[in-house]
Amino acid sequence: MTTETTASPVTAEEIEAGRRAYELDRAHVFHSWSAQDKISPMTVLKAEGSWVWDGEGNRLLDFSSQLVNTNIGHQHPKVVAAIREQAGRLCTIAPQHANDARSEAARLIASLTPGDLDHVFFTNGGADAVEHAIRMARLHTGRYKVLSAYRSYHGGTHLAVNVTGDPRRVANDYGDAGTVHFHAPFPYRSQFHSSSPEEESRRALEHLETTIQLEGAANIAALILESVPGTAGIMVPPPGYLEGVRELTRKYGIVFIADEVMAGFGRTGKWFAIEHWDVVPDLLTFAKGVNSGYVPLGGVAIGNAVFDTFRERAYPGGLTYSGHPLACAAAVATISAMAGEQMVEHAARLGEEVIGPRLREIAARHRSVGEVRGLGCFWAVELVKNRETREPLAAYGGSSPEMDEVIAACKAGGLLPFANFNRIHVAPPLNTPDAEVLRGLEILDAALDVADKHAN
Ligand code: PLP
């Protein structure tokens, strides 16, 4: 497995073009989730494998996989070739027609998803996959309410952001989306005063069942949960939790939606994160890693029970670009490259033998590290001011000058991190060679000296 870069060094002309791109960006581009005058976006001149080049031509190892989507790294030649080939043949076709790229992508996805999730509704990304999964659940059950976890992210559109359980919801929440939030397990910051992962799991399930009963089971259409919550902190569910959620949703006739937009397609060292627990949801949402984001694509994998609802009755929903040929051709090539180059197995081994052990060593050496946790190529480093009190290095929902310093130290060392509140996530492309992962962890290790200065 190698993504060793063959890219030529950045030229003076490319740097000049990057400066112009930056100026135009600041003049005309409106950025997501940002106060427009307070940001200074990093220009990316080019990218290859696990590397990106910033506006000054500096090469950075990408431990963010952008927004945790470039699971096969940048510019994978087989995927680039497949997009080119499809573009030369058929760029676009309306969703009501059958098309070879779409049919083959659906077949491959159905062959990888667990259980009977054998039908695929394609969307343009993750948020609309979540919206459609909930719409299907509501029509299937004839119920309206949706349960979801605090400390979760499900997308930026109206319903998806209301289902979301992080501060991005709050500014967009008018209380009209029928969503009810509950506490999922998080042993490090337990809401349940648990003293072990097993106790956390048991108490979180008790809390969930009580919530269902108090909200009225007969009103609840769906429960949506990230199999491993991503942006909210990579809290790997403790033993028995997801099995318990499956049991409760069955008991109360609630559609269980596993959101695998970030955790799916190999990120955790299995094709889908839920496979770590031998649980089959009723619906599974995906996006990002399905084609590494080379062309926007998402979707809902649908099990038999929900599918049967729409055999004779029309599904009232659709998108002009559902199953777009360029996106689907990219998905076919991505999945084939991932399987052919054993990237999922490599991700699992990286987690077990490289990232996990090295991060635990790093945690032992730095007083600013409260906890490290994760699976595969999906890890969180939780930074704290004090290990006893667990006071975070940035308050929940924001950043801090201390976190900014740590991020700057990573970048100065040649690492592009994924940072959220008081956490640094380690989420490199799944095909990053061991040596590059070790190099990135070395840079992170050095950057954490900066965090230690703010911890006691
Ligand atoms: N669900 C999860 C778990 C995600 O992590 C994300 C994005 O990060 C989404 C949904 C939304 O996906 P998109 O940004 O493609 O709409």
Side-chain angles (χ1 to χ4, degrees):
M1 172 121 354
T2 174
T3 55
E4 205 28 80
T5 169
T6 54
S8 51
V10 168
T11 62
E13 289 74 34
E14 284 171 320
I15 290 178
E16 197 40 49
R19 292 213 174 105
R20 171 97 178 120
Y22 183 83
E23 277 167 25
L24 292 176
D25 179 288
R26 300 322 296 128
H28 300 296
V29 177
F30 192 94
H31 281 262
S32 326
W33 309 116
S34 301
Q36 304 301 308
D37 284 351
K38 292 195 176 162
I39 53 171
S40 173
M42 184 181 101
T43 304
V44 174
L45 298 179
K46 60 181 178 183
E48 187 180 297
S50 303
W51 299 90
V52 297
W53 282 257
D54 73 9
E56 278 72 52
N58 301 310
R59 197 175 73 138
L60 299 163
L61 185 54
D62 187 357
F63 261 26
S64 68
S65 295
Q66 298 303 293
L67 284 180
V68 197
N69 61 273
T70 54
N71 289 8
I72 60 166
H74 290 280
Q75 299 300 110
H76 192 291
K78 289 188 177 142
V79 182
V80 173
I83 296 168
R84 279 209 179 103
E85 194 276 331
Q86 183 66 43
R89 219 156 44 79
L90 183 65
C91 279
T92 191
I93 201 75
Q96 66 267 31
H97 303 301
N99 169 256
D100 58 357
R102 186 190 300 137
S103 301
E104 179 60 5
R107 183 191 72 78
L108 281 170
I109 293 163
S111 75
L112 294 169
T113 47
D116 65 347
L117 297 162
D118 288 339
H119 296 88
V120 180
F121 177 72
F122 285 110
T123 62
N124 303 328
D128 44 353
V130 165
E131 300 257 347
H132 280 281
I134 293 171
R135 190 182 303 186
M136 287 174 193
R138 284 176 168 164
L139 291 161
H140 173 71
T141 57
R143 305 172 178 178
Y144 189 70
K145 281 188 188 175
V146 182
L147 293 182
S148 67
Y150 289 112
R151 300 182 191 269
S152 68
Y153 183 69
H154 295 288
T157 53
H158 178 72
L159 175 57
V161 85
N162 277 267
V163 171
T164 286
D166 86 5
R168 283 174 283 187
R169 170 175 62 103
V170 179
N172 293 298
D173 191 352
Y174 303 96
D176 62 348
T179 62
V180 175
H181 289 78
F182 61 92
H183 291 288
F186 185 8
Y188 184 67
R189 298 190 184 280
S190 175
Q191 286 295 318
F192 307 110
H193 310 286
S194 316
S195 50
S196 71
E198 290 71 20
E199 192 172 54
E200 179 78 358
S201 183
R202 217 170 34 251
R203 291 183 179 178
L205 287 168
E206 278 165 19
H207 157 72
L208 176 58
E209 182 155 23
T210 307
T211 306
I212 292 171
Q213 289 168 346
L214 293 176
E215 288 294 332
N219 293 332
I220 302 170
L223 179 149
I224 183 164
L225 208 51
E226 292 171 81
S227 307
V228 175
T231 309
I234 316 189
M235 294 82 84
V236 180
Y241 184 69
L242 287 178
E243 292 90 335
V245 170
R246 178 67 281 190
E247 251 176 68
L248 287 176
T249 47
R250 229 175 238 132
K251 178 172 167 187
Y252 292 103
I254 297 166
V255 172
F256 180 13
I257 305 170
D259 186 346
E260 294 259 353
V261 167
M262 188 177 276
F265 285 97
R267 178 55 55 193
T268 68
K270 295 211 186 265
W271 279 99
F272 293 97
I274 200 143
E275 292 172 68
H276 288 282
W277 296 280
D278 195 22
V279 167
V280 180
D282 299 300
L283 298 171
L284 181 152
T285 53
F286 63 85
K288 299 188 186 264
V290 63
N291 65 7
S292 267
Y294 283 30
V295 185
L297 182 68
V300 187
I302 306 162
N304 287 335
V306 176
F307 182 75
D308 284 347
T309 294
F310 302 107
R311 280 184 189 277
E312 299 296 329
R313 171 181 172 191
Y315 174 62
L319 302 136
T320 298
Y321 304 133
S322 175
H324 193 281
L326 291 182
C328 287
V332 171
T334 297
I335 293 168
S336 309
M338 287 178 74
E341 296 168 34
Q342 275 126 44
M343 291 187 206
V344 182
E345 294 80 353
H346 183 68
R349 195 186 57 72
L350 278 177
E352 277 161 28
E353 296 177 13
V354 181
I355 305 176
R358 254 325 255 125
L359 280 183
R360 283 188 275 273
E361 279 169 32
I362 287 172
R365 219 181 10 262
H366 291 279
R367 61 176 179 268
S368 58
V369 176
E371 186 181 58
V372 297
R373 51 179 183 264
L375 281 168
C377 287
F378 204 34
W379 290 79
V381 178
E382 176 117 10
L383 299 179
V384 292
K385 290 185 178 165
N386 182 295
R387 276 180 164 171
E388 293 301 311
T389 64
R390 304 187 177 183
E391 185 190 348
L393 201 57
Y396 182 71
S399 192
S400 66
E402 293 88 342
M403 281 302 293
D404 290 345
E405 273 184 50
V406 177
I407 296 162
C410 288
K411 286 191 182 163
L415 183 74
L416 185 60
F418 180 106
N420 186 252
F421 311 157
N422 69 317
R423 283 170 275 108
I424 300 282
H425 290 188
V426 173
L430 314 184
N431 55 348
T432 309
D434 291 25
E436 291 179 5
V437 171
L438 285 167
R439 173 76 196 120
L441 293 171
E442 217 174 277
I443 299 169
L444 177 63
D445 192 351
L448 292 177
D449 288 343
V450 174
D452 286 349
K453 282 195 250 148
H454 303 291
N456 50 50

